[in-house]
Amino acid sequence: MPSKPAPIKKAAKKEPAKKEEEAAAPEPAPEPAPEPAPAEAEAAPAPAEAEAAPAEEAPAPPAEEPKAPTPPPPADEPTSVPLDLFVEDKNDTSVTIIWSQPENIGPSGLDGYVIEVAKDGTDDWKAVNEDLQKSCRYIIKNQTTGDRLKIRVVAVNAGGRSPELALPEAVLVKEVADRPKVRLPRFLRQRYVAYVGDKINLTIPFTGKPKPVVSWTKNGGPLDTKRVNIRSTERDSILFIRAAEREDSGVYEMSVKVEDFEDKASLTLQIVELPGPPASVKIVDTWGFNVALEWTPPTDNGNTEITGYTIQKADKKTGDWFTVLEHYHRLNATISDLIMGNTYKFRVFSENKCGISEGAAMTKEEAKILKTGIDYKPPEYKEHDFSEAPKFTTALSDRATTVGYSTKLLCSVRGSPKPKIEWMKNQMIIGDDPKFRQICVQGICSLEIRKPGNFDGGVYTCRAKNDHGEALVSCKLEVKQPVVADADKK
């Protein structure tokens, strides 16, 4: 705006100067002299003088345009109120706030935000930003330590100011040395399960300066101080229950607060005990050596889920109970392998993570396994014929020995019935010659030649014979002379 009126002043000074040159001596010259002053303030005389100098009419119209700016048409309506204003950070001299843009902005758009503050107890609101704030975050600087400030944010567009969004409470201008933080132990981040009667002592550490204010709630309401004790120090808070009961179960929330900053953590406590027995059990059917049972879940599950059932049977004669099924998940079962002629009763226990219920649901009726006539017919088997002609499974091997050194020939044979074994030398039956020892045990046949001489070499044959045939196996035995050393010859 200041740069535009300048051409107007120059044009007003040039016109009187030219008129003075055209009329140097005439008396009318002094009349236009006072006109330059009004020409600077008003633009009306400029068109009248333009009749004498038509060449200078062109600069006059542009001089009028900046003096009559046309404002933009106002918007139909301002934006809606900004959203979610809260303190992000603060120290001894500044407060950082953040917020979200309005839900409804309108066709004219959003020009920016005005941040206003007032001291607590007054309504003297003052804007702290000279230019409109474009982002949704602003640092209010140069504040006095210890002051309590009321803060609000207004959205601005061509339609004007939106409704104000203010913090619910005044903010104390003071640095927080350490924000509060609950350090919930890992084992408490999941459901914490304890048994009825257990002592519960849970320690939850936290940090924060100055000393945080600790508060507890159970299921969103206050704690029962007769049941639950809370002891808090500067570093941790202890939840203590002397003897847990089922009504102590619930969601416990711990809050740690330092001035305007707060941190929360919750833990779920579940107190469990043994379940009650199944509501009922009955015998559905009996056939052969089998009995079909059905039962209904217990009315009291011990504050935790039922993990299975244990089924037991008892013979009426002895009355002793035996477990037939454990950790069984269904609500019906078939009990098999019962003894014929016996009468049985059955009972069912409930199970959960604490164990088996103390009581059991027992069948009112009994199951009797009736005797039935059975004719036993042994199976007919065809006898296998194991008869076999002799067959050597291990043949004789050629051997060499030295005169005077005993040797042994070995072979193996099979056959059914047991074959008769004969040893031959050079096709002649050896018989009961004491020089030879013949042994045959479990099909292993051996012929020992005791201290053979020069004439004991030759072809030895073993013959096996039974009713189904015979078999032969042979080998060659060589008897060598002992080696005599040269010293002995001399």
Side-chain angles (χ1 to χ4, degrees), residues 38-249:
E40 294 179 1
E42 297 180 6
E49 295 174 355
E51 296 177 358
E56 298 190 5
E57 289 181 358
E64 293 179 1
E65 289 180 2
K67 282 202 168 186
T70 303
D76 295 338
E77 60 182 4
T79 69
S80 61
V81 65
L83 304 174
D84 305 328
L85 174 63
F86 62 91
V87 176
E88 183 187 43
D89 195 8
K90 64 177 184 176
N91 55 33
D92 288 341
T93 59
S94 66
V95 177
T96 304
I97 58 174
I98 59 175
W99 63 92
S100 301
Q101 68 177 13
E103 184 176 358
N104 298 321
I105 295 177
S108 59
L110 178 63
D111 295 340
Y113 301 93
V114 175
I115 296 89
E116 298 176 340
V117 300
K119 289 189 177 181
D120 191 20
T122 69
D123 290 326
D124 185 15
W125 292 94
K126 295 180 180 179
V128 294
N129 55 324
E130 296 179 0
D131 300 326
L132 292 178
Q133 175 69 13
K134 300 297 183 181
S135 66
C136 294
R137 182 177 183 273
Y138 188 77
I139 303 175
I140 304 172
K141 300 179 179 179
N142 302 324
Q143 301 300 313
T144 304
T145 304
D147 283 354
R148 288 188 175 273
L149 299 180
K150 296 188 293 183
I151 303 173
R152 68 186 184 186
V153 176
V154 180
V156 178
N157 68 357
R161 293 164 55 97
S162 71
E164 298 90 356
L165 173 64
L167 290 173
E169 296 180 359
V171 179
L172 177 63
V173 182
K174 184 179 179 181
E175 183 174 5
V176 178
D178 189 4
R179 291 190 180 187
K181 180 65 178 178
V182 180
R183 308 291 183 182
L184 191 65
R186 185 179 298 274
F187 74 96
L188 292 178
R189 296 175 189 175
Q190 299 178 349
R191 186 182 301 271
Y192 182 82
V193 180
Y195 301 128
V196 171
D198 284 356
K199 181 190 294 185
I200 297 176
N201 193 339
L202 303 178
T203 302
I204 296 91
F206 59 83
T207 58
K209 292 182 181 180
K211 180 182 177 180
V213 178
V214 181
S215 60
W216 284 84
T217 60
K218 176 187 175 184
N219 298 329
L223 296 180
D224 182 2
T225 55
K226 295 180 180 179
R227 298 282 320 143
V228 182
N229 295 320
I230 300 296
R231 295 195 294 268
S232 299
T233 66
E234 295 183 356
R235 297 182 178 180
D236 53 39
S237 184
I238 301 173
L239 184 146
F240 179 76
I241 301 175
R242 189 175 300 277
E245 297 292 341
R246 285 173 61 171
E247 55 266 23
D248 295 327
S249 303

Side-chain angles (χ1 to χ4, degrees), residues 13 59 95 115 143 147 200 216 219 235 262 298-299 318 361 398 409 425 462 479:
K13 292 179 180 179
V95 177
I115 296 89
Q143 301 300 313
D147 283 354
I200 297 176
W216 284 84
N219 298 329
R235 297 182 178 180
E262 183 179 15
T299 55
T318 62
D398 294 341
L409 305 179
K425 174 186 174 185
C462 179
V479 180

Side-chain angles (χ1 to χ4, degrees), residues 411-459:
C411 63
S412 62
V413 67
R414 73 180 186 189
S416 180
K418 181 179 179 181
K420 181 181 178 182
I421 305 300
E422 290 181 336
W423 287 91
M424 295 180 290
K425 174 186 174 185
N426 298 326
Q427 303 297 323
M428 299 294 292
I429 297 175
I430 295 175
D432 295 331
D433 190 340
K435 189 175 183 66
F436 302 93
R437 184 184 180 191
Q438 304 175 41
I439 300 175
C440 185
V441 179
Q442 298 293 328
I444 306 299
C445 304
S446 64
L447 175 66
E448 183 180 357
I449 306 168
R450 298 173 177 176
K451 297 183 179 181
N454 294 329
F455 301 102
D456 290 329
V459 176

